[in-house]
């Protein structure tokens, strides 16, 4: 009997827990935690414990599929590649490279994301490459880059242990980042204060010193309100503001329009609570702001993020341990997918495509004859809109499932159906793959080597534990083979290690990262500039990446769609502990499916009573985009007039309802607020 323990990194959330996979005779059997891992410290959440089950689940794709007369048939790799190459060439000839869109994947490795954007930019010759960060932390990347010069989480997970105060908003941390949540609770036991600002009664509410339950979409107002009190009551860190920042007077002028009474009117939060929260935050020695989707997924996402940055800076909570603005990145490798340039405006390492020097550098390294366009490419939602309009003819989607995860699914479906050619590369036959012309079977994280970058800029190894199932191939190999068949000689890699070496040579932030060092040290946090650089635990020490930190005065703007007579409820959407996104990797896991087998809508007992709705009854929820039938879950977790739907369940898909209205800068859709109608159907 051959027995191995392979240390690898979790493919679910951005915490980036490492654990051992137990492999017996080439078959992965179970998971063993790793005590030395500084993130998980030998503990895991229920998804981590059961990770092996999705890998072997029945639905795994094991052969390429080609659609003929509306039906899939199995095909050889040669056939699939030949068809794709001939179609890509034909569409490029007829409609030009800007008729293509490519979606990369925060589920796949850094090396694979690097190759996907390299494929887009050097083979297709377009910047139309993006990924799910657009639906997630696009507002963070834009907002923090403007305020600080770098769009990433400023501090590190282990520092949470020692912070004196947390302001947690729009992050259901114990469910969505369980191993960060447990650290916060440990800090709480030690005496740290927790200010929670979330419309819903999430688990953390039990532990919070104060819980402000704002109306969804009113974040700028309460953030300005906290700053108003902090300024009025002399809690500003004058030293820090003077030496490290600019634009303070303009901020102050704006913030002075938000006295607690006015904030109460906009947000519904009692003014006394605004004042108490401001005092707790302003008096803390070290305070850390933690936020996630409740802040970013709005038409004012960038404004919300900049307001968080303002609050951290006026209190001097930047550039030191246990402080900072800490956007918790969601997917296992969404930080990495952004870092490696799977975005329409930047090359790897946030080197702007608009900059001619960078374009030249990459054109040369990628042995290109063509010129990379200088204009920024299309984002996720723009690609579907352009497909709908007939301007995008071909999409190549790796490891994303927009038919469940994008807003306004009815519109997404029409868009995908109107394409000339759709290639989907996934490990399951997803709702999106069902619409494809060709489906390519990638492998899961257990079947490949590479690296993921966790939420705190922590680059860690993914190690192959088992052979690819069936004829599936790792994504890096698929992209490389496809690129070679398209005629490139710049994709000849024997292993992901060679790809990482190329990344390091072109990406200063990752310049000192190599497999040897990662094997040796366990992880490296970027910026890691060269082979002697030990990585960076927290950012902006002594000096912001952009020099001075910049305050932005922000005026409150309401969400794009507010409740009215016809649609009197506010719908907000999100996630739950037991499932991941579109459910492909959790609904097939018996232990997780058993916990929550289908979707539901949370509704307050007073509303349910008024509408004659019973617990568990199937009800109708509608918006201007569509209607779903869904079981009612009557609970005080949501305030009156607000309903919540987790978006994991295709049979009652929240995204049939959501509003695709975009933040003007980040182009993130408003997944956290729209107006809806709730009706009993009397069954
Ligand atoms: N189990 C599990 N874990 C996950 C994921 C998963 O699918 N399942 N997904 C991962 C990914 S990609 C991400 S991005 C993260 C997301 O992690 P989170 O952002 O923590 O998850 P969400 O449930 O989307 O929303 C967070 C909170 O926002 C609150 N909220 C709603 N409206 C507003 C508002 O207007 N303002 C504010 N301030 N808050 C509001 C909700 O009540 C909710 O508690 O989770 C990651 N981890
Ligand atoms: N209503 C609503 N909608 C939302 C959100 C919300 O809060 N509310 N949140 C948004 C956010 S934050 C996010 S991040 C998105 C997520 O949206 P998506 O990224 O579309 O969702 P996932 O289900 O994570 O899709 C990942 C896909 O990758 C596949 N996969 C896994 N591993 C691999 C691999 O190694 N190779 C390949 N090729 N494929 C692989 C999985 O089977 C799955 O189909 O959803 C967004 N949509
Ligand atoms: S907390 Fe996140 S990274 Fe850790 S085991 Fe759970 S899903 Fe995996
Ligand atoms: Mo996300």
């Amino acid at each position: 009997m051959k027995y191995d323990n392979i240390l690898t990194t979790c493919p679910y959330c951005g915490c980036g827990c490492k654990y051992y996979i137990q492999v017996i005779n080439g078959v992965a059997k179970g998971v063993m935690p790793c005590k030395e891992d500084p993130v998980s410290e030998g503990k895991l959440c229920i998804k981590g414990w059961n990770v092996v089950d999705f890998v072997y689940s029945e639905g795994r794709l094991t052969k390429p599929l080609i659609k003929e007369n509306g039906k899939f048939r199995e095909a050889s790799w040669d056939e699939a590649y030949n068809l794709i190459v001939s179609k890509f060439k034909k569409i490029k000839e007829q409609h030009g490279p800007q008729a293509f869109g490519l979606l990369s994947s925060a589920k796949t490795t850094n090396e694979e994301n690097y190759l996907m954007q390299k494929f887009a930019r050097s083979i297709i010759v377009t910047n139309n490459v993006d990924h799910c960060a657009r639906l997630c932390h696009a507002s963070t990347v834009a907002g923090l880059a403007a305020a600080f010069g770098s769009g990433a989480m400023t501090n590190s997970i282990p520092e949470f242990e020692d912070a004196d105060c947390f302001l947690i908003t729009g992050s259901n941390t114990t469910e969505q980042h369980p191993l960060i949540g447990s650290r916060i609770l440990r800090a709480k036991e030690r005496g740290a204060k927790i200010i929670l600002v979330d419309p819903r009664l999430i688990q953390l509410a039990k532990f919070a010193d104060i819980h402000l339950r704002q109306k969804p979409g009113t974040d700028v107002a309460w953030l300005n309100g906290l700053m108003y009190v902090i300024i009025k009551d002399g809690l500003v860190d004058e030293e820090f503001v003077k030496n490290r920042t600019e634009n303070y007077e303009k901020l102050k002028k704006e913030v002075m329009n938000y006295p607690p009474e006015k904030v109460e009117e906009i947000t519904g939060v009692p003014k006394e609570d605004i004042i108490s929260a401001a005092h707790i935050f302003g008096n803390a020695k070290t305070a850390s702001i933690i936020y996630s989707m409740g802040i970013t997924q709005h038409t004012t996402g960038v404004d919300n993020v900049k307001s968080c940055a303002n609050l951290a800076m006026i209190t001097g909570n930047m550039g030191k341990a246990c402080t900072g603005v800490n956007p918790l990145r969601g997917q296992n490798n969404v930080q990495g997918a952004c870092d490696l340039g799977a975005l329409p405006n930047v090359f790897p390492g946030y080197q702007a495509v608009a900059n001619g020097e960078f374009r030249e550098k990459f054109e040369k390294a990628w042995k290109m004859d063509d010129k990379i366009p200088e204009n920024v490419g299309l984002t996720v939602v723009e690609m579907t809109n352009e497909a709908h309009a007939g301007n995008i003819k071909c999409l190549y989607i790796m490891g994303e499932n927009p038919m469940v995860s994008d807003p306004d699914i009815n519109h997404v479906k029409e868009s995908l159906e109107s394409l000339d050619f759709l290639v989907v590369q996934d490990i399951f036959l997803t709702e999106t793959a069902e619409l494809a012309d060709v489906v390519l079977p990638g492998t899961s994280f257990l079947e490949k080597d590479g690296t993921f970058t966790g939420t705190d800029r922590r680059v860690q190894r993914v190690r192959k534990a088992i052979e690819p199932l069936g004829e599936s191939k790792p994504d890096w190999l698929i992209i490389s083979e496809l690129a070679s068949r398209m005629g490139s000689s710049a994709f000849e890699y024997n292993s992901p290690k060679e790809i990482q070496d190329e990344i390091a040579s072109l990406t200063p932030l990752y310049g000192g990262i190599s497999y040897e060092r990662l094997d040796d040290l366990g992880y490296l946090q970027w910026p890691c500039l060269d082979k002697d650089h030990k990585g960076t635990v927290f950012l902006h020490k002594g000096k912001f990446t952009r020099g001075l930190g910049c305050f932005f005065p922000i005026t409150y703007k309401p969400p794009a769609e507010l409740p009215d007579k016809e649609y009197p409820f506010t719908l907000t959407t999100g996630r739950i502990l037991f499932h991941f996104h579109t459910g492909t990797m959790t609904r097939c896991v018996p232990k997780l499916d058993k916990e929550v087998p289908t979707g539901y809508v949370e509704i307050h007992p007073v509303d349910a009573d008024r509408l004659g709705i019973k617990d568990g009854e199937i009800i109708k929820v509608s918006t201007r985009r569509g209607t779903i039938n869904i079981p009612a879950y009557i609970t005080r977790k949501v305030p009156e007039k607000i309903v919540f739907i987790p978006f994991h369940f295709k049979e009652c898909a929240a995204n049939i309802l959501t509003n695709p209205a975009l933040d003007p800068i980040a182009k993130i859709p408003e997944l956290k607020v729209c107006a809806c109608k709730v009706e009993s159907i009397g069954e």
Side-chain angles (χ1 to χ4, degrees):
M1 196 164 78
K2 192 169 170 325
Y3 184 91
D4 282 313
N5 275 323
I6 310 286
L7 185 61
T8 193
T9 306
C10 185
Y12 285 118
C13 88
C15 286
C17 299
K18 281 190 299 205
Y19 40 65
Y20 293 96
I21 300 292
Q22 299 171 304
V23 185
I24 302 177
N25 292 337
V27 180
K29 293 287 185 188
V31 173
M32 224 169 46
C34 169
K35 282 218 165 75
E36 293 73 44
D37 171 31
V39 173
S40 65
E41 301 176 300
K43 295 177 220 70
L44 299 174
C45 83
I46 185 167
K47 292 182 295 303
W49 277 114
N50 292 287
V51 76
V52 167
D53 287 22
F54 90 79
V55 172
Y56 289 112
S57 95
E58 243 175 75
R60 273 292 301 275
L61 289 167
T62 53
K63 284 203 165 113
L65 303 173
I66 290 178
K67 197 176 271 166
E68 269 171 8
N69 306 318
K71 278 215 169 105
F72 283 121
R73 67 163 175 86
E74 290 181 352
S76 67
W77 278 101
D78 256 341
E79 258 183 303
Y81 282 149
N82 287 342
L83 178 60
I84 295 172
V85 169
S86 72
K87 283 282 189 181
F88 277 11
K89 286 191 168 161
K90 198 163 142 214
I91 293 172
K92 202 170 155 183
E93 220 173 82
Q94 280 181 344
H95 303 284
Q98 304 320 323
F100 287 76
L102 297 92
L103 292 184
S104 197
S105 172
K107 279 273 156 269
T108 64
T109 63
N110 284 325
E111 293 76 359
E112 290 164 344
N113 277 286
Y114 173 79
L115 290 192
M116 194 61 168
Q117 61 85 41
K118 178 173 172 182
F119 189 93
R121 296 190 160 111
S122 70
I123 305 291
I124 305 291
V125 198
T126 178
N127 287 315
N128 294 343
V129 58
D130 203 9
H131 73 284
C132 71
R134 189 65 49 199
L135 312 172
C136 185
H137 272 293
S139 334
T140 297
V141 176
L144 295 190
F148 305 149
S150 162
M153 178 164 163
T154 62
N155 290 57
S156 291
I157 297 168
E159 290 171 56
F160 290 155
E161 191 100 20
D162 301 312
D164 291 324
C165 174
F166 298 96
L167 170 64
I168 304 173
T169 182
S171 158
N172 185 356
T173 325
T174 54
E175 292 202 51
Q176 264 60 262
H177 291 89
L179 268 292
I180 293 178
S182 58
R183 253 185 218 265
I184 293 171
L185 296 186
R186 270 213 316 257
K188 167 76 194 167
E189 268 174 31
R190 187 191 33 75
K193 294 265 191 284
I194 299 179
I195 304 163
L196 177 67
V197 191
D198 197 298
R200 294 166 60 234
L201 269 181
I202 53 174
Q203 227 173 33
L204 271 174
K206 279 199 222 92
F207 304 92
D209 293 271
I210 185 164
H211 180 191
L212 316 185
R213 298 184 76 181
Q214 82 281 35
K215 284 185 201 145
T218 61
D219 296 283
V220 163
W222 66 261
L223 281 156
N224 277 346
L226 293 192
M227 287 185 266
Y228 175 98
V229 178
I230 285 170
I231 294 172
K232 274 261 176 206
D233 294 351
L235 297 172
V236 173
D237 185 335
E238 306 281 356
E239 251 325 269
F240 187 90
V241 168
K242 188 167 129 239
N243 297 331
R244 302 275 318 262
T245 68
E246 62 188 352
N247 233 12
Y248 176 64
E249 287 308 318
K250 286 199 184 124
L251 171 80
K252 187 169 164 186
K253 189 158 169 254
E254 178 63 38
V255 159
M256 283 300 130
N257 297 324
Y258 294 82
E261 303 72 43
K262 179 167 166 195
V263 173
E264 173 168 346
E265 235 169 73
I266 302 174
T267 63
V269 177
K271 59 177 187 294
E272 299 75 26
D273 288 355
I274 299 279
I275 296 169
S276 306
H279 287 168
I280 299 175
F281 192 87
N283 284 312
K285 243 188 14 230
T286 54
S288 172
I289 300 177
I290 293 179
Y291 74 79
S292 199
M293 296 302 98
I295 285 293
T296 58
Q297 290 175 330
H298 294 277
T299 46
T300 55
V302 174
D303 282 354
N304 294 349
V305 168
K306 285 178 174 167
S307 293
C308 291
N310 287 341
L311 177 61
M313 288 193 292
I314 63 163
T315 50
N317 280 299
M318 283 296 302
K320 336 185 255 207
C322 311
T323 63
V325 178
N326 296 297
L328 302 184
R329 304 299 301 254
Q331 295 263 33
N332 55 321
N333 196 35
V334 66
Q335 184 63 57
C338 292
D339 299 344
L340 274 308
L343 294 171
N345 59 335
V346 286
F347 291 111
Y350 306 96
Q351 302 175 81
V353 296
N355 182 321
E357 272 174 42
F358 294 141
R359 288 199 304 280
E360 239 172 70
K361 167 169 118 175
F362 284 98
E363 282 158 5
K364 195 163 152 235
W366 295 341
K367 302 182 193 162
M368 292 175 63
D369 299 324
D370 297 301
K371 295 273 170 232
I372 298 170
E374 63 177 276
N375 53 324
V376 166
L378 297 172
T379 60
V380 171
V381 179
E382 288 173 329
M383 282 184 206
T384 29
N385 289 344
E386 289 302 311
H388 207 263
N391 298 325
I392 289 275
K393 302 285 183 193
C394 174
L395 284 180
Y396 175 9
I397 302 179
M398 165 171 81
E400 295 219 328
N401 190 7
M403 277 296 294
V404 182
S405 60
D406 276 13
D408 196 359
I409 294 176
N410 289 330
H411 176 83
V412 175
K413 182 156 189 269
E414 284 172 18
S415 303
L416 296 184
E417 282 173 347
S418 67
L419 292 169
D420 286 358
F421 194 57
L422 173 62
V423 179
V424 173
Q425 183 169 314
D426 205 289
I427 57 176
F428 293 107
L429 192 62
T430 61
E431 295 66 31
T432 307
E434 296 273 8
L435 300 179
D437 296 289
V438 180
V439 179
L440 301 175
T443 62
S444 79
F445 83 118
L446 274 194
E447 299 142 77
K448 60 188 168 197
D449 281 303
T451 53
F452 291 155
T453 305
T455 182
D456 55 359
R457 300 168 278 102
R458 191 182 298 267
V459 184
Q460 312 192 98
R461 277 298 311 275
V462 173
R463 293 189 182 85
K464 181 175 166 183
I466 58 171
E467 289 303 317
L469 300 196
E471 291 173 28
S472 66
K473 294 187 187 202
D475 297 280
W476 65 266
L477 188 60
I478 300 174
I479 304 166
S480 305
E481 289 182 347
L482 208 47
S484 300
R485 284 170 187 248
M486 290 290 289
S488 171
S489 62
F491 283 79
E492 284 157 9
Y493 306 104
N494 294 307
S495 73
K497 182 185 173 311
E498 295 177 11
I499 306 171
Q500 171 52 37
D501 292 342
E502 182 174 317
I503 292 171
S505 73
L506 293 165
T507 315
L509 289 178
Y510 278 60
I513 295 176
S514 67
Y515 281 22
E516 292 80 9
R517 290 191 79 198
L518 291 176
D519 288 344
D520 195 25
L521 300 168
Y523 65 89
L524 279 164
Q525 286 174 279
W526 66 257
C528 175
L529 305 175
D530 56 51
K531 294 273 178 254
D532 302 315
H533 195 289
K534 293 206 166 61
T536 309
V537 178
F538 58 88
L539 303 177
H540 314 299
K541 187 177 175 182
K543 188 172 175 230
F544 283 96
T545 310
R546 77 180 283 284
L548 292 174
C550 186
F551 284 113
F552 288 90
I554 308 285
T555 308
Y556 165 71
K557 292 190 208 83
E561 194 181 65
L562 289 172
D564 56 18
K565 249 193 164 153
E566 199 184 347
Y567 295 99
F569 282 81
T570 297
L571 166 68
T572 186
T573 64
R575 340 168 128 62
I576 57 173
L577 171 66
F578 299 102
H579 287 290
F580 211 88
H581 292 165
T582 68
T584 60
M585 294 162 70
T586 49
R587 298 193 73 187
C588 57
V589 175
K591 286 221 173 76
L592 300 174
D593 177 58
K594 193 179 79 192
E595 294 287 343
V596 185
T598 190
Y600 54 82
V601 51
E602 293 178 356
I603 180 165
H604 193 276
V606 168
D607 292 323
D609 211 35
R610 201 166 33 81
L611 295 168
I613 290 169
K614 289 185 209 57
D615 196 40
E617 175 186 335
I618 309 281
I619 62 170
K620 197 160 107 176
V621 182
S622 327
T623 65
R624 290 185 175 82
R625 273 74 54 197
T627 298
I628 60 171
N629 289 344
I630 184 167
Y633 166 32
I634 301 179
T635 170
R636 288 181 192 277
K637 265 191 185 172
V638 280
E640 280 178 54
K641 288 290 185 179
I642 293 173
V643 295
F644 168 82
I645 303 179
F647 81 99
H648 310 295
F649 306 96
K650 62 180 178 208
E651 63 278 21
C652 42
N655 281 324
I656 299 232
L657 306 172
T658 46
N659 188 357
L662 302 181
D663 178 285
I665 299 168
K667 307 284 169 77
I668 190 170
E670 192 141 63
L671 296 164
K672 284 288 179 273
V673 191
C674 69
C676 76
K677 179 161 66 183
V678 179
E679 294 162 284
S680 166
I681 42 182
E683 278 175 10

